Amino acid sequence: MTTHDSYPIEIAGIKRDLRLFEIKPGLRIAILNILGDTELVQACARELAKKLEAVDYDILVTAEAKSIPLAYALSVETKKPYAILRKTYKPYMGAALQAETLSITTGQPQLLILDEKDRESIQGKKVVILDDVISTGSTLQGMRMILDKTDAKVVAEAAILTEGDRAQWMHIISLGHLPLFTE
């Protein structure tokens, strides 16, 4: 049995040690937390922008919260707007659309909500779905469910990293892959 406290990785030319987190007995995942890591966010946005050059799209869409800085930085790099699917409803959101997903890190259902204002900017558009890490695909599925209700067309899915079964994520535009850590 190998014990890992952290997993060293290089992403977009930047080296980081990702802390391992037990999500259930015998299974740990490496946690990428880009919040506050401006150097990594900017490097990833630059690299993802290059990989998205061949994709014809109108807007980036991501889910709250850890991938928000990535969406912002990628929006600056690509000059494309972005929208955030929120996790809690606020009255100012108006006639929002909702979908429920299951979070791998909490094991709990979570809501994804598209604000009425963002709904208008996504309606019928070509969308790139963006996330920090794609692991089980449940957040992607929730985002797709909401976007289907807006007649938007998902033209690509992108992430800093994919995780788990690499073959499952070959269609994802990403900068690397994380293994699962089993005991």
Side-chain angles (χ1 to χ4, degrees), residues 143-161:
M143 288 195 270
R144 276 194 225 103
M145 287 165 56
I146 287 178
L147 294 169
D148 282 349
K149 296 175 186 178
T150 68
D151 296 321
K153 181 176 195 249
V154 176
V155 294
E157 296 170 333
I160 296 173
L161 299 170

Side-chain angles (χ1 to χ4, degrees), residues 16 19 46 81 88 100 102 106 110 113 119 135 137 150 154:
R16 292 293 183 262
R19 191 175 67 83
R46 277 192 300 276
T88 52
E100 194 172 277
L102 191 66
T106 65
Q110 71 183 18
I113 301 158
R119 181 178 179 174
S135 186
T150 68
V154 176

Side-chain angles (χ1 to χ4, degrees), residues 2 13 21 34 36 40 43-44 46 60 67 80 83 105 111 132-133 138 148 158 167 171 174:
T2 312
F21 176 77
I34 63 172
L40 183 61
C44 291
R46 277 192 300 276
L60 298 158
S67 55
K80 301 277 188 178
T105 42
L111 270 182
D132 55 341
V133 178
S138 66
D148 282 349
H171 68 287
S174 72

Side-chain angles (χ1 to χ4, degrees), residues 20 41-42 105 128 137 140 143 160-161 165:
L20 295 184
V41 169
Q42 291 301 131
T105 42
V128 170
L140 278 187
M143 288 195 270
I160 296 173
L161 299 170
D165 179 6

Side-chain angles (χ1 to χ4, degrees), residues 17-41:
D17 287 318
L18 306 183
R19 191 175 67 83
L20 295 184
F21 176 77
E22 187 172 69
I23 56 171
K24 62 184 180 188
L27 179 62
R28 295 189 296 171
I29 59 174
I31 299 295
L32 176 69
N33 186 351
I34 63 172
L35 295 175
D37 193 342
T38 308
E39 179 188 31
L40 183 61
V41 169

Side-chain angles (χ1 to χ4, degrees), residues 19-182:
R19 191 175 67 83
L20 295 184
F21 176 77
E22 187 172 69
I23 56 171
K24 62 184 180 188
L27 179 62
R28 295 189 296 171
I29 59 174
I31 299 295
L32 176 69
N33 186 351
I34 63 172
L35 295 175
D37 193 342
T38 308
E39 179 188 31
L40 183 61
V41 169
Q42 291 301 131
C44 291
R46 277 192 300 276
E47 291 303 308
L48 283 173
K50 289 178 196 168
K51 290 181 172 243
L52 287 169
E53 281 174 359
V55 179
D56 178 24
Y57 68 100
D58 303 306
I59 189 167
L60 298 158
V61 175
T62 196
E64 194 174 46
K66 285 194 314 186
S67 55
I68 292 174
L70 178 65
Y72 172 81
L74 191 53
S75 174
V76 171
E77 288 288 329
T78 61
K79 312 231 181 328
K80 301 277 188 178
Y82 70 97
I84 307 292
L85 302 180
R86 304 287 300 275
K87 291 184 180 171
T88 52
Y89 180 81
K90 309 276 194 262
Y92 65 78
M93 294 173 148
L97 296 176
Q98 298 187 11
E100 194 172 277
T101 67
L102 191 66
S103 166
I104 186 174
T105 42
T106 65
Q108 300 297 314
Q110 71 183 18
L111 270 182
L112 290 177
I113 301 158
L114 177 62
D115 188 314
E116 183 176 21
K117 131 187 124 47
D118 292 328
R119 181 178 179 174
E120 292 164 11
S121 64
I122 291 172
Q123 191 80 36
K125 295 287 191 331
K126 292 181 287 246
V127 173
V128 170
I129 291 177
L130 181 65
D131 209 349
D132 55 341
V133 178
I134 295 172
S135 186
T136 64
S138 66
T139 303
L140 278 187
Q141 183 181 20
M143 288 195 270
R144 276 194 225 103
M145 287 165 56
I146 287 178
L147 294 169
D148 282 349
K149 296 175 186 178
T150 68
D151 296 321
K153 181 176 195 249
V154 176
V155 294
E157 296 170 333
I160 296 173
L161 299 170
T162 55
E163 182 175 59
D165 179 6
R166 189 189 296 258
Q168 185 182 358
W169 306 126
M170 295 311 281
H171 68 287
I172 302 292
I173 296 167
S174 72
L175 304 179
H177 183 77
L178 290 172
L180 296 175
F181 299 87
T182 54

